[in-house]
Amino acid sequence: VFRKNSDAPNSDAFKPTKQFEISGKWTVSFRGNRGAPASITLEKLVPLNEHPDFGVRHFSGTARYCNAFTLDSVPQRARLDLPEVNYIAEVYINGQKCATLWTYPYSCDISKFLKKGENKIEIDITNTWYNRCVGDAAAPDAKRITSGNFKIVRGARNGMRIFTGFAADDPLMRAGLVGKVVVSF
């Protein structure tokens, strides 16, 4: 929407006065048959592609991040800010879908979904198939998850070249929800 007077103040501008990080352990659940365990617990939100578990590190698809936070009272307006999303986020508060976030800034209004007391937050993060394809290049045939008309290179690629498939030593792409999740009100 373009206004005739672009210098007019925006009466809907949200200027938060308080904020807090959703802290504590995050439970991350993975869809089945993708090579990852059913769930893991993270003390802090770090890239999944750096996790020590091979299945988590090479997971591709949608992972669900769950946590909770408590409010003494319900603010009139509140925003949720996600620092880094790799690559699409669907945000749910108390079981209700708030937003789909696919580009920076990864932020959404959560005002109408909050309640006094405990609030449950679930964030579905979906990445690409790339990390799983790289993982399959390192896995024995019986443990592969993907199949397709692309080539898997069992050995090292040794440098840059035109895409000819996936190799076990290809660098992984960042994956998952990373950083501090913040609620502002």
Side-chain angles (χ1 to χ4, degrees):
V1 174
F2 296 97
R3 297 186 179 151
K4 289 181 182 179
N5 182 357
S6 63
D7 294 330
N10 182 352
S11 61
D12 291 335
F14 177 56
K15 295 179 175 89
T17 57
K18 296 180 184 177
Q19 68 179 26
F20 66 90
E21 176 188 353
I22 299 176
S23 58
K25 297 177 182 180
W26 287 83
T27 300
V28 184
S29 303
F30 300 95
R31 303 238 169 114
N33 302 318
R34 302 277 173 90
S39 66
I40 60 171
T41 301
L42 296 176
E43 297 289 333
K44 63 180 188 172
L45 297 173
V46 295
L48 293 180
N49 59 291
E50 296 175 6
H51 195 275
D53 183 278
F54 182 89
V56 172
R57 193 169 54 251
H58 293 93
F59 179 78
S60 291
T62 301
R64 176 165 278 192
Y65 290 72
C66 299
N67 204 333
F69 58 95
T70 303
L71 293 174
D72 295 329
S73 62
V74 179
Q76 265 191 309
R77 295 193 66 186
R79 288 199 78 68
L80 179 72
D81 293 305
L82 309 179
E84 181 183 337
V85 172
N86 299 292
Y87 291 93
I88 298 173
E90 289 184 276
V91 177
Y92 298 83
I93 303 288
N94 298 318
Q96 299 178 65
K97 185 174 180 178
C98 302
T100 300
L101 307 173
W102 58 274
T103 188
Y104 185 83
Y106 299 102
S107 180
C108 63
D109 187 332
I110 58 171
S111 306
K112 66 182 180 180
F113 305 101
L114 298 174
K115 63 181 183 179
K116 184 177 178 180
E118 185 176 85
N119 289 269
K120 183 178 178 182
I121 181 169
E122 298 167 299
I123 306 170
D124 288 347
I125 303 291
T126 304
N127 67 347
T128 70
W129 276 102
Y130 178 84
N131 289 352
R132 181 69 256 168
C133 292
V134 171
D136 281 352
D141 289 342
K143 299 266 185 180
R144 287 186 56 211
I145 306 295
T146 60
S147 63
N149 61 352
F150 50 83
K151 182 179 177 184
I152 289 183
V153 180
R154 294 290 182 197
R157 187 181 298 276
N158 297 325
M160 299 292 291
R161 65 173 108 164
I162 296 172
F163 180 77
T164 57
F166 298 95
D169 69 336
D170 284 342
L172 298 177
M173 295 174 72
R174 283 178 71 87
L177 180 60
V178 182
K180 297 178 180 181
V181 175
V182 174
V183 175
S184 301
F185 51 97

